[in-house]
Amino acid sequence: MTDEIDALGAKIDALKPKPQKADKSGFYESVGIRAGTELVVGPLVGGFLGFGLDKWLDISPIGLIAGVFLGVTTAFFNIYKLTIYGDTKPVAKHLKTANNSASNTPVKPQDSE
Amino acid sequence: MASPTHQFEIKPLIPLEIAGVDISFTNSSLWMMIALGVSICLMSLATRKMAMVPGRMQAFGEGMYDFIDGMIRDNLGEHGKQYFTLIFTLFFIVFFGNALGLVPYSFTYTSHLAVTAALAFLVFFMVIGLGIARHGLHFFSIFLPPGVPAWLVPLVFLLELISFLIRPVTLSVRLFANMVAGHIMMKVFAGFSVGLLSLGALGFGLGLLPMGMNIVMIGFELLIAYLQAYVFTVLCCIYLKDTLDLHH
């Protein structure tokens, strides 16, 4: 009798929907979608800010050049953070969580996969 | 063949002008009202008959609640509850803007940078305002994360500053560009079908190929409509986290 109940329990467990499965796939696609815009908008906004600085301080074209370079660097920096950590928050927060997870606390499923 | 960008044209339905400012009721406004009406109807239907065992509509309502609630719990933690209404509203504005745009003869209001930028800057200024109100000048420490080597501080400060400033632009451009690109692509494929019709019977047969492609595209666009709304709200959650706690 208990064997039958156990077998039934195993069957029910097998049929139970795996939670968060759909969310996961959405998560990876969202990372992909974000990386593209980051790369386009970074240099654009950087260049725009640099151009504004040029007009304001009359140092053309140094501001524009520096702005575009900084924008490109920001874009790649953000994509790096996106691929490693899944979002573009400032670095130190991630350093902390990386240390924590390495030492004692078990890694959350969302971080590990 | 009609121009593929013709569908994004704003047409004033009821011309209005107050003190030199054009505030006409346009087709964009009309579809925003329709999206508002649809979401209100859906949610009132979902909460009309409350039962212990949920019916179809109630299950939908509870599913949406759980979805946004889970998103806030994952990204903002327990204290994020205060932003529930904002996040829920943002998700429905963006999702219905995208999804209703797939209805023939409709207008996609999320395909206009003015709309998406307004939503993005709302969140951006909210983060700055609430951040400074709650943390004071300490809020600006998000540009200077601790633990960075001293010689890297000026560079990291600049990078984090630009990274912060591009947030509303990436948020709005991503949504707007995806909607415009998707709709233009569908229109171009539909244009192929119409163009091939001029070849007669052979053209009619060949014209079914781009039409089949468009059927696939509609499904894909539905996925994009949901995914863009999801990405938009998740990023709003992530940005709003800076107003709750700075170092965690």
Side-chain angles (χ1 to χ4, degrees), chain B residues 80-136:
Chain B
K81 282 276 183 197
Q82 52 185 311
Y83 296 127
F84 183 85
T85 32
L86 174 77
I87 302 293
F88 198 77
T89 314
L90 273 177
F91 181 81
F92 272 93
I93 292 174
V94 176
F95 178 71
F96 278 121
N98 299 347
L100 289 174
L102 292 173
V103 177
Y105 299 105
S106 72
F107 180 84
T108 325
Y109 58 80
T110 43
S111 69
H112 278 268
L113 193 54
V115 176
T116 57
L119 293 175
F121 275 102
L122 169 85
V123 174
F124 181 69
F125 287 121
M126 208 179 135
V127 168
I128 296 179
L130 276 176
I132 291 176
R134 282 189 186 157
H135 305 293

